[in-house]
Amino acid sequence: MSQQYALKEVKGDAVCFVPGSPLFSVLMEPASFCYPRLTFLRSPYGQFGASAGSSQDLAPWPQRLVTQRWTGPVDESPPAAMSRNGYFFEESGYLKCDTDDGCEAKEETGGEELFDAVNSSIVSGDSIRFFVNVNLEVPPNATAENESAGCVLLHTSRKYLKLKNFEEEVRAHRDLDGFLARASIILDETATSLDDVLREMLKHFAEDPENMEPSCNFEKIMSTLFTDSGTPREGNVHLLSDTIQGVTATVTGVQYQQSWLCIICTIKSLQRRHVCISRLERPQNWGENSCEVRFVILVLAPPKMKSTKTATEVGRTFATMFSDITFRQKLLETKTEEEFKEALVHQRHLLTVVNQRPSAMSDGHKSHSPKPLKLHEFLNVGKGISDDIARRLPVYALDFTDGVIGNNKAIGKYITTMIFLYFACLLPSIAFGSLNDENTRGAIDVQKTIVGQCIGGLLYALFSGQPLVVLLTTAPLALYINVIRGICDDYNLDFSAFYAWIGLWNSFFLVMYSLFNFSLLMKLFKRSTEEIIALFISVTFVLDAFKGIIKVFKKYYYHGRTGESYLEKARTDAIPSLGINTTFLMNSSVSRSMSLENQTGTHDVHYGRETAVLSLMLMLGTLWLGHTLYQFKKSPYLHARVREILSDCALPISVLTFSVVGSYIFKEIEMSKFNYNPSESLFVLAPVQSLSIGSVMSAMGLGFLLSMLFFIEQNIVASLTNAPENRLVKGTAYHWDLLLVALINTGLSVFGLPWIHAAFPHSPMHVRALAYVEERVENGHIYETIVSVKETRLTSLVANFLVGLSLLLLPFPLQWIPKPVLYGLFLYIALTSIDGNQLFERVALLLKEQTAYPPTHYIRRVPQRKIHYFTGLQVLQLLILCGFGMSPLPYMKMIFPLIMIGMIPIRYNLLPRIIEAKYLDAMDAEH
């Protein structure tokens, strides 16, 4: 049968009458009336398109009128359509016309990009074809065949990609340089279908000797580019699998840039990345959102690539360049490949220059030349303290009520954090108290350390500006106390008096630092410097643990063999005539141990290898269980809230578990425990008047060095606690907190209690315990991001109060905690503290293959070699710091705070001579 249908024209829009067949006819005559928009027709069985625009835009279209066939079901009663606001609306829903009502197409010279930014919805496949006269023959069984056809599911996923920053991301330039070196450019491609264009591009790859892939099947690559690769026959939906296109979000919807298309694909058989750009001779309509394609960019890459070298990243480079309509117009005007390459190079230069100015202020970058500090900022006495109080005082009451009163209650999180913080404060106090007890021969013992921790912690929790910071006595302070004891022994000085004077001078200097706003100097400490010091503290924890376990092995394992030989000889001498095989007796735990009193004569020490082996097991077991539970929140087991509780309580659970194992399950094996000497009076004033003037002046020098340690540790730990990624909102108080620490340590010094200052990593761990965290995935890498933190004083108050109550638990049950469990605690603290430490992450990169590199900001912005140079220089600074801080020479330990200060000129004066300042800033960025 043959049918012919007339067209009806309406001023301003086009209306077509659709017959009882899906075939339709559209006549476009620009001379008769104006088409204000591109109009697309859609039916439930398929999609059809007709074009409109200005009469000038549509001039070339009547010469391309051909026919397209459709074999869909027939509706005998076609709906009527009417024109309304640029859309075709139909009453029954069988015919729909979509346009972007707010889209205004940009006109280009020669009409080459007529519809460059149009929101469209049309059929994919060959070009849309128009006709006037239609001869239609419909088989009688067409409807039945289509109804019985199988249905498949098509998964569509869209995500936004950032435009590549050519000024910051070094890979953008390298991608273009690699393409220019082996350029695959096809100019004025005559093929009209997408399949034919892609075949020509792959053929160009195959014939190019510089892009040869001997083991690659290009026909297989061709099929991989589309969704019907590997699908059943009834699922032959021929659409592109992975593309990148430019879009713009508007009030009326999303506008697509339809003159270019970037197709990306990952192929296992490839050896390297390939890029081909094809410029079509005439615009082609290839379906949905691609109705006027002039440029096709094909990117192929192997799957095992560095995160910045994947097909998506290479495609993002070229897509960023082609998103500029002016650049595309220049490419249309090029005549040769050389002109095409020159246009690419020129566009790269433009993108780099355009991005230079805004990039300096973006992404939280610090300028490599910091704002110079003015002298008057330090002479304005007390301004920093007053500013801190004015900032924190208005929210002081909220520090007690947040999470307790109101809608967002967090009582459960507070309880688990209190338990964690109690053990995190108590156990280091026991460990360092035991160490100070040995170093000072009982002048500062476990009992005094716990008392000092309780008093100082409570005062700081009540009056500090940043209550999430945790005060503790630390390993560097234990080193200082040991050195002070040695000086007192060398010069016959009273330890308590000399210790008190050093503490008083230290507090005096800290008060001066706070009054004269010296905390402003912390602006000079970059993130890399802070991380070196943080990693140094973690290393000290590890070394303390290994020193302790080595002492255990020397005392029990090797000396145990000597004791065994002595015992065996004694038994042989005692029973020479019995002829009894004593091997079995020697192998038993009872006969193999020998009791000898130690130097203090307070308890028995049993020599035996069982003690050394069990100590090692307890230390590693505490580390293993603690870290396993800490990471348990990432596992799929149990409920999310249960996982969070187990993770927050990882430290107390592991310590209690292996304390029971060491003290109860293996109670027949003697374990090393800390000494407990009950003091008659905990609060005895030091005889400060007993020292001579010369001794007091020498104490001033040591107090100044100690104040440098306090100043750096207190401010750096506070800075790490207030890091931008922690999302704290109540403000900082560096000057006030420094003054408060000075006043607290004044009281501790005169009563002979151990000093305390901000502790790492306990303070960041305290923040983490009070944080709400969510996981995000980027390029297969999982990141944890803090959403919010409950800033409260209650956790520190309760935890330190419980530490004070722990005096009632001395000597038992606290003495049931074996020393190896405390060593395991040190390892646990060190291991958990390196989470998020960029220096450690970059050291780990040296051991990873490039495909496992995370897509961090510095990986994108800094060449790999520069990253490794910077890491090596940081490790060198860390080794120098460790060399001074852990030197066997006592006076070397006293000056390592000056080494920390010396890192500032190294960062600002030496490193920029080795690595460009922009790369240093990228690696020091605060994110």
Side-chain angles (χ1 to χ4, degrees):
M1 55 184 176
S2 176
Q3 294 176 329
Q4 184 171 354
Y5 301 96
L7 292 175
K8 181 179 178 181
E9 60 183 13
V10 178
K11 187 175 182 180
D13 288 302
V15 175
C16 73
F17 292 100
V18 181
S21 164
L23 289 174
F24 60 95
S25 63
V26 178
L27 177 62
M28 295 181 300
E29 290 188 354
S32 58
F33 58 89
C34 249
Y35 295 84
R37 289 173 178 78
L38 180 65
T39 303
F40 296 100
L41 307 180
R42 181 189 297 165
S43 79
Y45 313 114
Q47 299 172 336
F48 309 92
S51 296
S54 69
S55 58
Q56 180 183 357
D57 290 340
L58 290 175
W61 281 85
Q63 285 77 24
R64 301 204 295 265
L65 299 183
V66 291
T67 62
Q68 175 175 312
R69 294 181 180 175
W70 168 257
T71 57
V74 178
D75 188 344
E76 297 299 336
S77 302
M82 59 183 174
S83 171
R84 189 182 305 157
N85 295 331
Y87 288 83
F88 282 99
F89 295 94
E90 31 81 24
E91 297 174 359
S92 61
Y94 283 91
L95 179 64
K96 182 179 178 182
C97 178
D98 292 343
T99 70
D100 181 9
D101 191 39
C103 173
E104 296 183 2
K106 298 183 179 180
E107 295 186 10
E108 299 188 22
T109 305
E112 296 293 348
E113 294 194 23
L114 303 179
F115 314 112
D116 190 60
V118 181
N119 183 9
S120 66
S121 180
I122 64 174
V123 71
S124 57
D126 295 335
S127 301
I128 297 300
R129 299 165 186 177
F130 306 94
F131 52 88
V132 180
N133 296 317
V134 180
N135 292 323
L136 174 63
E137 296 182 1
V138 180
N141 60 347
T143 302
E145 289 178 358
N146 280 276
E147 289 178 351
S148 63
C151 174
V152 296
L153 302 178
L154 183 66
H155 175 224
T156 302
S157 178
R158 291 185 176 93
K159 66 177 182 179
Y160 282 104
L161 294 176
K162 288 183 179 180
L163 293 173
K164 185 157 282 190
N165 190 321
F166 275 68
E167 197 272 331
E168 291 184 349
E169 299 188 54
V170 294
R171 182 50 57 183
H173 297 272
R174 297 192 175 188
D175 288 340
L176 183 58
D177 291 339
F179 171 74
L180 295 175
R182 305 186 305 271
S184 292
I185 301 173
I186 302 176
L187 300 180
D188 299 328
E189 174 60 53
T190 57
T192 57
S193 69
L194 176 60
D195 291 52
D196 292 341
V197 171
L198 291 176
R199 284 193 179 92
E200 288 298 323
M201 298 175 79
L202 293 175
K203 181 180 177 182
H204 194 272
F205 278 139
E207 294 175 352
D208 189 352
E210 294 184 356
N211 293 294
M212 287 292 293
E213 291 281 356
S215 61
C216 189
N217 185 343
F218 284 97
E219 285 299 325
K220 188 175 180 180
I221 295 177
M222 182 67 191
S223 64
T224 309
L225 296 174
F226 294 91
T227 56
D228 54 356
S229 174
T231 59
R233 174 179 291 182
E234 62 271 15
N236 192 19
V237 180
H238 197 64
L239 299 173
L240 289 170
S241 296
D242 208 351
T243 62
I244 300 177
Q245 254 185 299
V247 296
T248 303
T250 65
V251 177
T252 57
V254 176
Q255 300 176 0
Y256 284 80
Q257 295 183 352
Q258 305 200 35
S259 64
W260 63 276
L261 186 63
C262 181
I263 304 169
I264 59 179
C265 188
T266 300
I267 307 296
K268 292 183 178 179
S269 57
L270 292 179
Q271 300 296 322
R272 61 185 181 184
R273 298 170 298 158
H274 299 275
V275 179
C276 182
I277 301 177
S278 178
R279 187 183 70 187
L280 307 184
E281 185 179 23
R282 303 177 65 181
Q284 299 298 327
N285 193 328
W286 286 337
E288 187 173 11
N289 306 325
S290 304
C291 61
E292 280 291 322
V293 179
R294 286 300 305 269
F295 297 97
V296 180
I297 306 143
L298 178 61
V299 180
L300 307 176
K304 285 288 186 180
M305 296 295 293
K306 187 179 176 181
S307 59
T308 55
K309 298 180 181 179
T310 61
T312 302
E313 287 297 316
V314 178
R316 192 164 71 94
T317 299
F318 288 93
T320 300
M321 301 180 74
F322 275 81
S323 63
D324 185 355
I325 190 172
T326 306
F327 170 64
R328 295 195 300 272
Q329 186 60 39
K330 289 181 180 179
L331 291 182
L332 289 173
E333 298 171 356
T334 58
K335 304 299 182 183
T336 64
E337 287 191 14
E338 291 301 321
E339 292 180 4
F340 199 96
K341 292 179 182 179
E342 290 176 3
L344 289 171
V345 173
H346 181 66
Q347 179 66 6
R348 172 175 65 178
H349 173 71
L350 292 179
L351 289 173
T352 304
V353 172
V354 166
N355 286 325
Q356 277 180 352
R357 291 185 63 184
S359 67
M361 302 297 295
S362 64
D363 296 333
H365 278 236
K366 295 179 179 179
S367 175
H368 65 271
S369 54
K371 181 181 177 181
L373 296 172
K374 304 295 181 61
L375 181 61
H376 69 84
E377 296 182 76
F378 299 101
L379 297 179
N380 199 345
V381 179
K383 186 178 185 302
I385 296 174
S386 60
D387 290 345
D388 291 342
I389 295 176
R391 186 185 304 115
R392 290 292 304 190
L393 191 59
V395 296
Y396 184 78
L398 295 178
D399 292 339
F400 295 92
T401 59
D402 281 353
V404 179
I405 301 175
N407 297 327
N408 300 322
K409 294 184 179 180
I411 297 177
K413 181 173 282 289
Y414 283 4
I415 293 174
T416 56
T417 304
M418 290 170 188
I419 297 173
F420 152 75
L421 197 58
Y422 166 65
F423 280 89
C425 293
L426 175 65
L427 298 179
S429 297
I430 294 175
F432 291 119
S434 176
L435 181 61
N436 288 331
D437 189 17
E438 296 175 3
N439 293 336
T440 63
R441 294 191 286 278
I444 300 177
D445 57 6
V446 174
Q447 195 175 10
K448 286 189 175 183
T449 306
I450 292 177
V451 170
Q453 174 62 42
C454 174
I455 295 174
L458 286 175
L459 291 175
Y460 193 82
L462 280 173
F463 302 112
S464 67
Q466 180 48 272
L468 298 185
V469 172
V470 179
L471 296 192
L472 283 174
T473 186
T474 60
L477 293 180
L479 294 176
Y480 257 76
I481 293 174
N482 186 27
V483 172
I484 292 171
R485 182 72 218 196
I487 294 174
C488 292
D489 292 341
D490 292 340
Y491 295 96
N492 298 319
L493 300 175
D494 183 86
F495 172 78
S496 59
F498 196 59
Y499 176 85
W501 271 112
I502 293 175
L504 291 174
W505 280 116
N506 168 56
S507 297
F508 169 76
F509 287 117
L510 292 179
V511 171
M512 292 296 103
Y513 299 157
S514 61
L515 289 177
F516 289 95
N517 311 316
F518 273 37
S519 290
L520 294 174
L521 292 173
M522 295 308 297
K523 294 180 180 179
L524 301 177
F525 278 83
K526 291 286 192 175
R527 173 175 181 161
S528 56
T529 308
E530 294 175 353
E531 289 182 339
I532 291 173
I533 297 174
L535 201 56
F536 165 74
I537 298 172
S538 299
V539 170
T540 60
F541 276 108
V542 174
L543 290 181
D544 285 340
F546 281 106
K547 284 180 181 177
I549 203 67
I550 288 172
K551 284 183 180 179
V552 171
F553 266 74
K554 286 182 177 179
K555 193 171 189 178
Y556 292 97
Y557 193 86
Y558 297 107
H559 287 189
R561 297 181 62 182
T562 305
E564 178 182 337
S565 302
Y566 175 81
L567 183 59
E568 184 176 359
K569 183 178 183 300
R571 288 180 176 273
T572 304
D573 294 341
I575 46 175
S577 61
L578 294 180
I580 300 176
N581 187 355
T582 59
T583 303
F584 173 77
L585 295 176
M586 295 303 104
N587 289 335
S588 67
S589 62
V590 177
S591 61
R592 195 168 57 236
S593 61
M594 179 178 63
S595 296
L596 296 173
E597 288 194 350
N598 64 355
Q599 294 178 355
T600 60
T602 56
H603 64 281
D604 292 338
V605 177
H606 294 263
Y607 289 99
R609 292 186 172 183
E610 309 95 329
T611 300
V613 174
L614 180 60
S615 298
L616 181 63
M617 293 175 60
L618 292 179
M619 182 184 76
L620 298 179
T622 304
L623 170 64
W624 168 79
L625 182 60
H627 192 260
T628 301
L629 292 178
Y630 178 75
Q631 299 289 339
F632 194 70
K633 58 187 174 184
K634 300 179 182 179
S635 71
Y637 303 107
L638 303 180
H639 190 269
R641 181 56 184 159
V642 177
R643 295 198 300 266
E644 185 178 3
I645 292 174
L646 289 175
S647 179
D648 291 341
C649 298
L651 177 61
I653 291 175
S654 60
V655 169
L656 292 176
T657 299
F658 282 92
S659 295
V660 171
V661 170
S663 298
Y664 182 75
I665 297 179
F666 293 97
K667 58 184 176 182
E668 69 277 2
I669 300 178
E670 182 70 18
M671 294 302 300
S672 176
K673 295 181 173 63
F674 64 86
N675 295 333
Y676 173 68
N677 299 315
S679 303
E680 297 179 359
S681 179
L682 293 173
F683 300 99
V684 177
L685 285 173
V688 292
Q689 72 282 356
S690 63
L691 291 184
S692 63
I693 297 298
S695 300
V696 172
M697 290 298 103
S698 63
M700 181 179 69
L702 295 175
F704 173 74
L705 293 175
L706 183 62
S707 69
M708 299 297 293
L709 174 64
F710 267 75
F711 176 78
I712 294 173
E713 292 270 3
Q714 179 69 32
N715 283 285
I716 284 183
V717 172
S719 176
L720 293 172
T721 303
N722 291 285
E725 57 265 24
N726 290 338
R727 302 181 186 274
L728 302 184
V729 297
K730 293 185 179 179
T732 61
Y734 293 102
H735 310 279
W736 167 250
D737 286 351
L738 191 62
L739 176 63
L740 183 60
V741 167
L743 298 177
I744 290 173
N745 282 279
T746 299
L748 297 179
S749 300
V750 296
F751 288 106
L753 302 177
W755 302 307
I756 57 176
H757 60 60
F760 180 87
H762 303 76
S763 300
M765 290 171 68
H766 186 202
V767 175
R768 194 65 175 230
L770 291 170
Y772 291 95
V773 181
E774 69 178 21
E775 289 185 349
R776 296 176 183 175
V777 180
E778 181 181 353
N779 294 341
H781 295 267
I782 300 176
Y783 297 91
E784 286 189 346
T785 303
I786 292 178
V787 179
S788 63
V789 177
K790 290 293 182 182
E791 300 181 52
T792 180
R793 298 177 185 270
L794 298 178
T795 51
S796 293
L797 278 172
V798 174
N800 285 287
F801 179 73
L802 294 176
V803 169
L805 291 181
S806 299
L807 287 172
L808 304 176
L809 304 179
L810 287 173
F812 298 104
L814 287 184
Q815 210 171 19
W816 290 348
I817 302 176
K819 277 188 177 181
V821 173
L822 299 178
Y823 303 150
L825 163 71
F826 287 171
L827 294 179
Y828 168 81
I829 290 175
L831 186 60
T832 54
S833 69
I834 62 177
D835 279 351
N837 188 297
Q838 193 184 106
L839 171 57
F840 184 81
E841 292 174 355
R842 284 189 272 105
V843 171
L845 292 181
L846 298 171
L847 306 176
K848 293 181 179 179
E849 60 177 348
Q850 290 191 4
T851 55
Y853 281 16
T856 55
H857 63 280
Y858 56 86
I859 294 291
R860 295 183 182 278
R861 297 171 181 167
V862 185
Q864 182 176 327
R865 183 174 298 177
K866 302 290 185 181
I867 292 175
H868 295 327
Y869 283 167
F870 185 61
T871 304
L873 293 171
Q874 279 188 290
V875 171
L876 180 60
Q877 294 177 71
L878 176 63
L879 292 177
I880 294 174
L881 189 61
C882 292
F884 281 90
M886 302 168 191
S887 171
L889 302 176
Y891 296 102
M892 292 283 284
K893 298 176 183 178
M894 304 294 291
I895 64 172
F896 80 91
L898 298 179
I899 306 300
M900 295 181 183
I901 298 294
M903 291 181 181
I904 296 177
I906 291 176
R907 170 61 180 84
Y908 286 102
N909 298 322
L910 179 60
L911 293 186
R913 298 176 183 271
I914 303 174
I915 302 172
E916 291 88 333
K918 63 178 181 179
Y919 297 146
L920 292 175
D921 288 344
M923 288 183 283
D924 270 337
E926 294 290 348
H927 58 94

